[in-house]
């Protein structure tokens, strides 16, 4: 087929002992740890928003500092990568049939723009969906690490611990999240899900080195440019 111009290249993530993982879409879950973003307990349904695949930044990169903010945040999140999609996916089948693997991600956020959006009832895109707003490490396939339901999750800035928690404390568990999303939209292979962040990370600024870990997964390290 002749196109009006060449299509954008597929965004990929490295995957241990596998061909690269082609990223289709990025879903992000909000308020998924006790106390994070005002969350106390599970609400009626998970809160989610999206970032475009083109917003992805690779591990070990230098991030563009976004325009129009004085309060950039880096939120550590465990990322789940799907290699099977569908509608109305049963929660009990998610772990072994749908999860390709796991990675460490940063949900980069313009906190000032987010507060403005919340107070004015505006969309979240300006606060969440800018260039380099989704950082992700290489994926560790599920056949290496098994299903991850617990493990330390931590973020440091210039060596100082800013966030520390355990993925076992997620309010909505991965099978519930995948099931829920699949009742709202059709999921596809290549979809990534950022599963929420434990607590407040504080602001980052140009020159900061941000490191993030989830037990058993490749560590993340980026510089704020
Ligand atoms: Mg987040």
């Amino acid at each position: 087929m002749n196109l009006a111009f060449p299509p954008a290249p597929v965004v990929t993530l490295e995957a241990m002992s596998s061909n690269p993982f082609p990223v289709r879409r990025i879903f992000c879950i909000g308020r998924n740890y006790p106390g994070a973003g005002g969350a106390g307990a599970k609400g009626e349904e998970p809160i989610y928003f999206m970032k475009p695949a083109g917003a992805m930044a690779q591990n070990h990169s230098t991030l563009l500092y976004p325009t129009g903010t004085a309060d950039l945040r880096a939120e550590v999140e465990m990322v789940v990568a799907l290699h099977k999609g569908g509608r109305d996916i049963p929660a009990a089948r998610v772990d072994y049939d749908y999860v390709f693997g796991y990675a460490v991600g940063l949900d980069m956020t313009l906190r000032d723009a987010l507060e403005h959006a919340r107070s004015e009832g505006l969309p979240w895109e300006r606060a969440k969906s800018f260039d380099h707003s989704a950082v992700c490490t290489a994926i560790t396939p599920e056949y290496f690490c098994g299903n991850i339901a617990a493990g330390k999750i931590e973020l440091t800035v210039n060596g100082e611990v800013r966030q520390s928690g355990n993925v076992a404390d997620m309010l909505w568990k991965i099978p519930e999240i995948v099931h829920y999303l699949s009742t709202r939209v059709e999921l596809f292979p290549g979809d990534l899900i950022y599963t929420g962040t434990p607590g407040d990370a504080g602001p980052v600024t140009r020159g900061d080195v941000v490191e993030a870990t989830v037990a058993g997964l490749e560590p993340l390290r980026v510089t704020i440019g």
Side-chain angles (χ1 to χ4, degrees), residues 83-168:
H83 62 167
K84 187 173 175 182
R87 289 194 173 95
D88 299 321
I89 295 167
R93 290 184 55 205
V94 167
D95 276 342
Y96 294 98
D97 290 347
Y98 291 83
V99 174
F100 172 78
Y102 304 87
V104 181
L106 297 179
D107 165 16
M108 301 301 295
T109 301
L110 310 186
R111 172 58 67 87
D112 43 7
L114 184 62
E115 295 299 330
H116 179 69
R118 280 175 172 158
S119 67
E120 301 294 319
L122 298 171
W124 283 18
E125 274 82 357
R126 197 173 85 70
K128 290 288 195 180
S129 302
F130 48 93
D131 298 338
H132 290 183
S133 60
V135 187
C136 196
T137 64
I139 297 169
T140 301
E142 186 273 337
Y143 54 79
F144 278 108
C145 60
N147 294 127
I148 298 180
K152 187 176 183 184
I153 180 168
E154 189 169 86
L155 178 131
T156 68
V157 178
N158 305 324
E160 174 199 343
V161 176
R162 293 281 191 89
Q163 292 183 286
S164 186
N166 194 299
V167 296

